[in-house]
Amino acid sequence: MRFLLVEDNLSLAAAVEDRLRMDGHVVDHAPDLAVADDYAATADYDLILLDIMLPDGDGRSFLKSHRSREGTTPVIVLTARSEVSDRVGVLDLGADDYITKPFDFSELEARCRAVLRRHGGGSSNQKRFGALVFDPLAGTLVVGDKTVSLRNKELRLLEIFINAPDRIFSKSKLVDRLFSYEEDVSENAIEVYVARLRKHLAGADVEITTVRGLGYRMSLA
């Protein structure tokens, strides 16, 4: 998944980034609202982690404008305020969940998983497509009677495809989803990861095809 972390506490942001990246996620960090607005306008995110008190304004204004712009990306608010009225306020503005600082990283990860499951309309970590059974949390793919353990980028790439079957993804779009702005990679890296996934899918009823001049698409064979 690709996360946008809006947090001005640099030590906390670094710790959250490290934890999420250990899980294989891509994280862009915005220390203030201006950077957050720029990131949100130029990239597609699966989840936004939003602090409220920021050096150039109130995170609630970002949340409100975010919902008015496109309203689909789930948002978890990170707040130091524990009053019920504050928590109700951010939920009424459109937050999907909140977590009060200081928080345990395992709780943050669990809340992220829960919000993403709700956003995806499911209650299980497992995703199925054709005869494939994919568990992004465990990092495993079951093809027939074979279970494959996926590496981080392979796992995230398969997750992108399996969440949008039959959709064509350009190489540039896949780079955008798999890598943060800090990572300097070429589109050729996508060819490597696609080739690896194709090997894992050998013998399955699912295939990743190249659509000449456009990109890649995963569909039933």
Side-chain angles (χ1 to χ4, degrees):
M1 296 291 179
R2 186 167 187 173
F3 287 70
L4 173 59
L5 171 62
V6 188
E7 171 60 62
D8 66 324
N9 184 319
L10 298 184
S11 60
L12 174 60
V16 172
E17 281 186 84
D18 288 345
R19 187 63 176 251
L20 292 174
R21 285 173 176 161
M22 282 176 59
D23 291 336
H25 301 299
V26 175
V27 184
D28 290 319
H29 170 228
D32 54 44
L33 292 177
V35 176
D37 283 331
D38 288 342
Y39 281 171
T42 56
D44 294 325
Y45 292 99
D46 298 291
L47 181 63
I48 298 173
L49 300 175
L50 175 66
D51 188 22
I52 290 299
M53 301 183 68
L54 294 159
D56 57 347
D58 192 316
R60 285 170 292 197
S61 64
F62 174 89
L63 175 60
K64 188 175 180 179
S65 63
H66 168 71
R67 285 291 177 244
S68 66
R69 283 196 304 268
E70 48 91 13
T72 58
T73 306
V75 177
I76 297 178
V77 167
L78 313 177
T79 177
R81 299 175 176 177
S82 58
E83 290 81 2
V84 172
S85 59
D86 290 317
R87 289 176 285 172
V88 170
V90 296
L91 292 173
D92 283 343
L93 281 175
D96 295 86
D97 200 356
Y98 63 86
I99 187 168
T100 304
K101 301 178 184 177
F103 49 78
D104 185 88
F105 289 120
S106 59
E107 181 185 1
L108 176 62
E109 290 172 321
R111 287 182 180 272
C112 290
R113 290 194 298 270
V115 166
L116 289 167
R117 281 198 302 269
R118 292 201 301 270
H119 186 69
S123 60
S124 171
N125 291 313
Q126 289 189 344
K127 300 176 184 293
R128 297 175 182 269
F129 185 59
L132 297 181
V133 181
F134 171 53
D135 189 330
L137 184 58
T140 58
L141 170 67
V142 178
V143 182
D145 58 357
K146 178 181 66 174
T147 300
V148 179
S149 293
L150 299 174
R151 298 176 182 177
N152 280 341
K153 297 301 183 185
E154 298 169 3
L155 188 156
R156 300 308 166 196
L157 181 58
L158 179 58
E159 191 166 30
I160 291 168
F161 282 130
I162 209 168
N163 281 333
D166 297 317
R167 176 179 169 182
I168 299 172
F169 289 93
S170 67
K171 289 182 182 179
S172 61
K173 174 62 72 174
L174 293 174
V175 167
D176 179 67
R177 295 298 301 275
L178 287 173
F179 300 95
S180 69
Y181 287 116
E182 298 174 356
E183 297 175 279
D184 184 19
V185 296
S186 72
E187 294 182 0
N188 292 335
I190 299 301
E191 296 178 11
V192 174
Y193 293 118
V194 168
R196 290 178 183 174
L197 279 186
R198 282 172 168 162
K199 289 182 179 179
H200 295 319
L201 297 175
D205 61 346
V206 174
E207 61 183 1
I208 299 173
T209 56
T210 300
V211 182
R212 188 173 297 276
L214 296 176
Y216 300 102
R217 173 174 56 203
M218 191 173 83
S219 56
L220 294 175

